[in-house]
Amino acid sequence: MNRPVVSFFRTGAAKGRGKDTGMRCFRRTPLPRTNAEVDAGVRGNPRSAAGGFLAALILLAGATAGPLHAQSGGDLRAQARQIGADVAAARSAGRLDTATQQRAVEQLGQLVVGFISASDRAANSGDAGRQAESLRPTFEAIHTPLDDIYKQNTEALERMARKVMDEDGDLEALYETQPFRDAQVIASAALYYLNWLSYYGARLYDGPRRKALLEQAQRGFSEFATGDRRSDLLVESLLGRGLCYLELGEAALARRDLEAVIADAKASPERRNKARLALLDAAVQAGNTAEALRMSDEILAAGARTDENVVRFLRLRALMAAARRGTGAEAERYRQQALVLMEQLRRAGAGWDERVSALLQTGVDNPEQWAAKATSPFAQWELARMLAQKNDYKAAAPLLEAVVASDDPQVRPNRREAQYMLGLAKFQAGEYVAAADLLDAALAEGTPAYGADAAYMRFKALEAEVAKQPTPEITERYGHAIRDLLARYPDHRSVFEAQFRLGELLQAQREFAAAVDAYAAVRGEPMLQLRARFATLQCQFELLGAAGDGTDPAAQRRVRLEAIGRDLESFAQEAAALEKSAGRTAAPAVQPMQAKVAIMRAVYAKLLPGDRGAEVLRALAGFETSYPEEKDLLPQVVRLRLEADQRLGRFAEAQSEVATHGAVLVGGLGRQGIEELAVGFIREGARRRAREGDGVNDAAQKVALGLYELLADGADGSGKTALTMARLYETTGDLKKATDLYNEVQQKGPSPAALRGLARIAEAEKRPAEAIERWRQFTALARPGDAPWYEGQYELARTTALSGDAKGACAQLDKLKPAMPGLSDVELRRKLGDLYDQTCR
């Protein structure tokens, strides 16, 4: 810790006699004890052996850095360390005399001036913050030996004073001794330099270290800021102390000292300017914008200065504060002035460019109000960034477009980032192709910091465009964007989303094997993995139905079925785990997939060797209850269940299914699908009839009839459905409905099938004459010699015989004999022969 030079005064005791009968007082003050004596020393007081040395002190507040003071921090450090080493060596050798110390202080003082010059250059370049790291070791290298010399001499002064006081000697006499005066002068000179060194060094630190240095400097300046006569040293010390007070937050004390410097007619212009600059800083910090603007105007109007950029920066802060507080035209005027000042400052160098940029980011809370008046590319860029940070891309877009179009060399390095941000703006505006074009440009060169996000947003823009208007060109760009993101930024946080979308794209392009590989690479978020598993199942089913590679179709089918089986089980496990961890929140996304997988499981069972109808029914049991929202899938579910019922001979259950879900089948399968189901039941009944009897066949026919009844608005145009239904009614015993349908068909035009049916029904209802007539009509419609004509002749003779007219039947058969050679139907030929034998012999 810096200690002041201490003078000791005895009070209440006779000079040089007896013991101290009064109290000993300690007054902290630099020596020489008065300002006049300091002045005398600076001018070269002939009474002071050190007068010439004090006269060599540079008054730092007004010093101008020359070539010596423009040395690099490394040079200053090296010289300071060498001086410290020389002092240490002299101390060890017992040669640390007054002249050696004076020389060391003078040399270190020159380094202090160089350090201050470097600090001022950093401040005036706007780069002080960045250069602090390199200046700290320089400060410490100078501070350590200078503080050591100061401490050594103040401790020597204290020892000499205490010795005299302990011996009840004469302190005034001590002050005139050469050793005391030598130590006094060296300590004063060291303290002088330490004051300014500590003040400037405090700028390099934060927290306790900064505060300690400022307090040391403030106390040291106070040692010189006393006296009854104004001098350069006193004015300089008032200035230094005022600056320290300002940094320590003691605004009133700072103002007192700084105004005293400004008011002193003998103070140099440099010192008054520094005081004004400090008061300007104080006004800005205190938020006194009117005073700050007035003072900055006056300082800048005074003419060119080395620190004019510092003044401009302080004025800029005041203008921005005034704009925040102001309203209407007044605030607009402040903003306009601030924008002009920003442009001036940023052209002063990279350091100021960065400081202005930082000030914009922290000092503007309503960038949209600044945007309209921003004409320089720099301001447009900075305000656009701020608007983008607020996610206000709509307001940022015009500014970004101006930056992208600008040829200003100072914003050219930001052009690609501006393209990236403008791409985001276009994306938000729904201009997806324009967004993708800008993001392409932003990614054209190098690996920018925003590259990963730009690649991701390009992929999302093209994804949105594909969803809106999937042209081949856009789809191709979309695929390229996905693959580019995966290749260049494999660690992007959304890489698995891109991997999933690549699988979707390949699946849509029917590249199912490649899609399966893409889905297999999806990791991370459980829901995304589950969706990839589901999509893999879809692709596997597509591959199952696709043509193989020509090797072994049966083996390929077996392999793919095995893969489907594994994926079905994996999906079930993953879905259960997700539902367990996420609870009800996962249901809206998981259940639609589970519903489709239930159908896949049923189809998978259907495709396996053997009769797996029972497995199909288990897979789809309770589907309507489990997935009430998946109504679109119900037609397929009902069809699969009916097919399983058909194969299992569960005709009663099938009939109930048709009755319950008839409307679903009509809406989902259409006429063709329903007819296919009905035909399947008819065939299954016929197949089982020989083994299980007519009852089974009748049950199957009833299911088929129930299906056809769903099409009773019969409207296929050909009458085929009506004929089939009529036949089913006929075979299931509802002869009235059968008759009505046959007649309905017949009314639309002569129909052999309808006449055949009507003849059968007439015969069954014991109306032989009508049966004979119907067969006569049937035969008349057929061309002689065709199969239907022979059938008609046979039925006509048979019904005639049944009516009791055997002679007439025989006559009909005799008449048919000449045409018999043309009958190729062996069964019908046999039946005609049997009828002839029964009737005519």
Side-chain angles (χ1 to χ4, degrees):
M1 174 178 177
N2 289 347
R3 294 188 296 274
V5 183
V6 179
S7 297
F8 298 90
F9 293 86
R10 292 183 60 206
T11 60
K15 180 179 180 182
R17 293 176 300 160
K19 295 195 174 182
D20 185 5
T21 58
M23 64 182 295
R24 292 179 178 178
C25 299
F26 298 88
R27 181 166 66 86
R28 295 158 59 94
T29 180
L31 294 177
R33 297 180 307 283
T34 67
N35 200 253
E37 290 180 14
V38 173
D39 266 355
V42 171
R43 292 193 306 273
N45 187 344
R47 293 192 306 135
S48 170
F53 173 59
L54 282 175
L57 289 177
I58 297 175
L59 299 179
L60 298 180
T64 302
L68 176 66
H69 304 141
Q71 298 178 84
S72 69
D75 291 340
L76 295 172
R77 285 195 297 276
Q79 293 178 50
R81 287 166 181 160
Q82 184 59 54
I83 294 168
D86 292 344
V87 170
R91 183 182 291 113
S92 297
R95 294 185 287 99
L96 191 60
D97 55 14
T98 299
T100 301
Q101 292 185 74
Q102 287 179 342
R103 185 165 54 254
V105 171
E106 181 177 4
Q107 291 170 339
L108 290 168
Q110 293 300 310
L111 299 184
V112 170
V113 176
F115 170 76
I116 291 172
S117 177
S119 299
D120 282 342
R121 286 198 305 273
N124 291 329
S125 71
D127 204 23
R130 183 176 298 169
Q131 294 190 29
E133 288 294 330
S134 62
L135 288 172
R136 283 192 198 106
T138 303
F139 164 76
E140 297 292 353
I142 300 171
H143 185 272
T144 299
L146 188 59
D147 192 47
D148 285 346
I149 293 172
Y150 171 70
K151 289 177 181 177
Q152 180 175 331
N153 283 276
T154 55
E155 288 168 358
L157 290 171
E158 289 178 5
R159 285 195 303 272
M160 287 186 277
R162 286 189 182 280
K163 182 178 179 182
V164 170
M165 293 171 69
D166 289 342
E167 295 173 354
D168 202 19
D170 188 351
L171 281 175
E172 294 296 329
L174 173 66
Y175 299 157
E176 301 301 325
T177 64
Q178 192 63 44
F180 191 92
R181 293 182 66 82
D182 288 345
Q184 177 191 55
V185 169
I186 293 170
S188 296
L191 179 62
Y192 171 79
Y193 288 119
L194 277 171
N195 290 341
W196 285 108
L197 181 63
S198 296
Y199 168 71
Y200 275 89
R203 298 178 177 182
L204 308 177
Y205 296 93
D206 294 316
R209 175 73 163 149
R210 176 178 180 275
K211 184 179 180 183
L213 288 170
L214 286 170
E215 289 175 343
Q216 290 167 19
Q218 176 265 314
R219 287 193 296 269
F221 281 124
S222 294
E223 295 293 339
F224 294 108
T226 59
D228 53 2
R229 188 176 71 82
R230 291 282 173 176
S231 67
D232 286 343
L233 183 59
L234 184 144
V235 171
E236 181 181 340
S237 299
L238 286 173
L239 173 62
R241 186 172 70 179
L243 294 174
C244 290
Y245 277 141
L246 185 61
E247 294 295 330
L248 288 166
E250 300 286 351
L253 295 175
R255 181 174 289 277
R256 179 199 64 191
D257 285 348
L258 296 170
E259 287 180 345
V261 173
I262 295 171
D264 193 321
K266 295 182 179 180
S268 68
E270 292 82 3
R271 292 194 183 100
R272 288 200 295 271
N273 285 338
K274 284 186 178 293
R276 289 191 184 96
L277 182 58
L279 286 176
L280 170 60
D281 191 8
V284 172
Q285 291 186 38
N288 298 329
T289 54
E291 181 180 0
L293 292 174
R294 176 186 59 77
M295 292 181 67
S296 60
D297 266 341
E298 292 173 355
I299 294 172
L300 291 172
R305 305 162 45 88
T306 57
D307 53 9
E308 64 182 355
N309 288 325
V310 177
V311 179
R312 288 193 179 105
F313 187 74
L314 291 171
R315 178 174 177 79
L316 176 59
R317 289 174 57 189
L319 285 167
M320 294 177 72
R324 283 195 303 272
R325 296 174 186 171
T327 58
E330 180 187 47
E332 187 61 34
R333 186 173 69 254
Y334 288 138
R335 284 192 287 268
Q336 188 62 44
Q337 291 180 34
L339 287 167
V340 172
L341 203 52
M342 285 177 200
E343 189 64 18
Q344 290 178 345
L345 273 170
R346 63 177 285 268
R347 295 185 183 280
W352 288 113
D353 193 2
E354 290 183 12
R355 293 192 70 183
V356 171
S357 176
L359 183 60
L360 258 175
Q361 294 292 319
T362 58
V364 173
D365 53 8
N366 52 351
E368 58 280 353
Q369 294 181 351
W370 293 70
K373 295 296 182 180
T375 56
S376 77
F378 163 78
Q380 290 168 336
W381 168 238
E382 294 297 335
L383 291 169
R385 289 172 60 194
M386 294 177 66
L387 289 164
Q389 288 170 2
K390 295 174 66 174
N391 206 35
D392 189 356
Y393 284 96
K394 183 177 180 180
L399 299 172
L400 291 167
E401 286 172 343
V403 173
V404 168
S406 173
D407 292 328
D408 188 322
Q410 290 187 298
V411 296
R412 192 174 298 137
N414 301 319
R415 187 179 184 196
R416 295 202 182 281
E417 187 175 0
Q419 289 171 325
Y420 160 61
M421 295 171 68
L422 184 56
L424 300 183
K426 295 295 184 183
F427 181 88
Q428 280 202 353
E431 300 176 35
Y432 301 123
V433 175
D437 291 343
L438 285 159
L439 294 167
D440 274 342
L443 290 163
E445 295 178 8
T447 55
Y450 54 81
D453 286 336
Y456 174 73
M457 291 309 301
R458 176 181 60 181
F459 140 59
K460 296 301 288 183
L462 291 168
E463 177 186 55
E465 186 64 21
V466 164
K468 184 175 74 172
Q469 191 174 2
T471 65
E473 178 189 3
I474 291 297
T475 302
E476 183 179 356
R477 284 185 68 184
Y478 174 50
H480 171 76
I482 297 175
R483 292 181 175 92
D484 188 58
L485 172 62
L486 294 173
R488 292 172 64 179
Y489 304 102
D491 297 325
H492 190 275
R493 63 185 180 278
S494 298
V495 67
F496 295 125
E497 178 193 354
Q499 193 72 51
F500 179 79
R501 297 303 183 195
L502 177 60
E504 281 190 325
L505 178 62
L506 292 167
Q507 184 177 355
Q509 294 171 339
R510 304 193 65 77
E511 298 180 34
F512 300 116
V516 168
D517 292 339
Y519 288 133
V522 175
R523 298 288 185 274
E525 198 270 320
M527 179 60 76
L528 190 64
Q529 289 191 75
L530 188 67
R531 292 174 63 193
R533 181 75 69 183
F534 172 75
T536 298
L537 277 166
Q538 292 178 313
C539 292
Q540 295 285 22
F541 274 101
E542 293 287 352
L543 286 169
L544 191 65
D549 57 12
T551 53
D552 184 349
Q556 288 183 12
R557 180 180 178 83
R558 186 166 55 252
V559 168
R560 287 170 180 166
L561 279 172
E562 289 172 357
I564 290 172
R566 288 193 301 271
D567 286 335
L568 283 168
E569 294 311 312
S570 297
F571 177 89
Q573 293 171 9
E574 291 174 17
L578 182 59
E579 287 186 313
K580 184 177 180 180
S581 63
R584 292 182 178 179
T585 58
V590 174
Q591 285 196 350
M593 288 187 285
Q594 287 177 317
K596 293 182 177 70
V597 168
I599 296 174
M600 291 181 188
R601 192 177 291 278
V603 173
Y604 169 70
K606 181 180 173 182
L607 294 172
L608 290 174
D611 193 346
R612 305 294 183 111
E615 293 180 30
V616 172
L617 293 174
R618 279 197 299 273
L620 300 175
F623 186 93
E624 301 90 323
T625 304
S626 299
Y627 311 109
E629 301 300 321
E630 304 305 316
K631 294 181 173 58
D632 289 346
L633 299 177
L634 198 52
Q636 191 175 359
V637 169
V638 173
R639 177 171 188 161
L640 286 167
R641 287 199 300 227
L642 283 171
E643 289 174 346
D645 286 337
Q646 173 194 315
R647 290 195 300 274
L648 294 171
R650 290 164 40 95
F651 301 129
E653 290 81 354
Q655 190 170 5
S656 176
E657 184 90 59
V658 171
T660 303
H661 294 111
V664 169
L665 291 170
V666 172
L669 300 185
R671 175 177 297 276
Q672 182 177 350
I674 291 174
E675 287 184 344
E676 287 174 357
L677 275 174
V679 169
F681 277 97
I682 292 171
R683 289 173 178 169
E684 185 65 25
R687 188 179 69 81
R688 290 174 176 266
R689 181 177 187 179
R691 187 175 67 249
E692 301 177 40
D694 290 341
V696 171
N697 182 51
D698 288 345
Q701 299 279 324
K702 287 179 180 178
V703 177
L705 179 59
L707 289 165
Y708 271 112
E709 284 180 330
L710 299 175
L711 307 176
D713 58 0
D716 70 345
S718 67
K720 180 181 177 182
T721 300
L723 287 170
T724 303
M725 289 178 64
R727 179 61 176 162
L728 289 170
Y729 280 128
E730 181 184 349
T731 57
T732 56
D734 193 341
L735 299 182
K736 182 178 187 311
K737 286 186 177 179
T739 300
D740 291 343
L741 281 173
Y742 284 138
N743 284 325
E744 182 180 324
V745 173
Q746 184 66 13
Q747 286 173 4
K748 294 179 180 178
S751 167
L755 290 169
R756 185 189 288 119
L758 289 170
R760 287 195 303 268
I761 292 172
E763 183 178 339
E765 292 181 340
K766 310 299 183 183
R767 292 181 279 113
E770 183 179 341
I772 293 170
E773 180 58 28
R774 294 298 185 188
W775 283 120
R776 185 177 288 111
Q777 293 173 2
F778 173 87
T779 305
L781 291 176
R783 188 173 63 177
D786 286 350
W789 182 80
Y790 284 108
E791 178 191 359
Q793 292 293 342
Y794 167 76
E795 293 293 346
L796 186 58
R798 185 185 63 79
T799 53
T800 300
L802 284 175
S803 70
D805 186 3
K807 184 178 179 180
C810 186
Q812 292 174 6
L813 292 172
D814 284 335
K815 188 177 179 180
L816 184 62
K817 274 186 178 182
M820 288 297 288
L823 178 59
S824 59
D825 187 335
V826 176
E827 177 63 21
L828 184 56
R829 181 186 287 274
R830 183 190 62 77
K831 288 167 63 176
L832 281 167
D834 290 346
L835 180 62
Y836 183 83
D837 290 342
Q838 294 170 10
T839 307
C840 301
R841 292 181 184 177

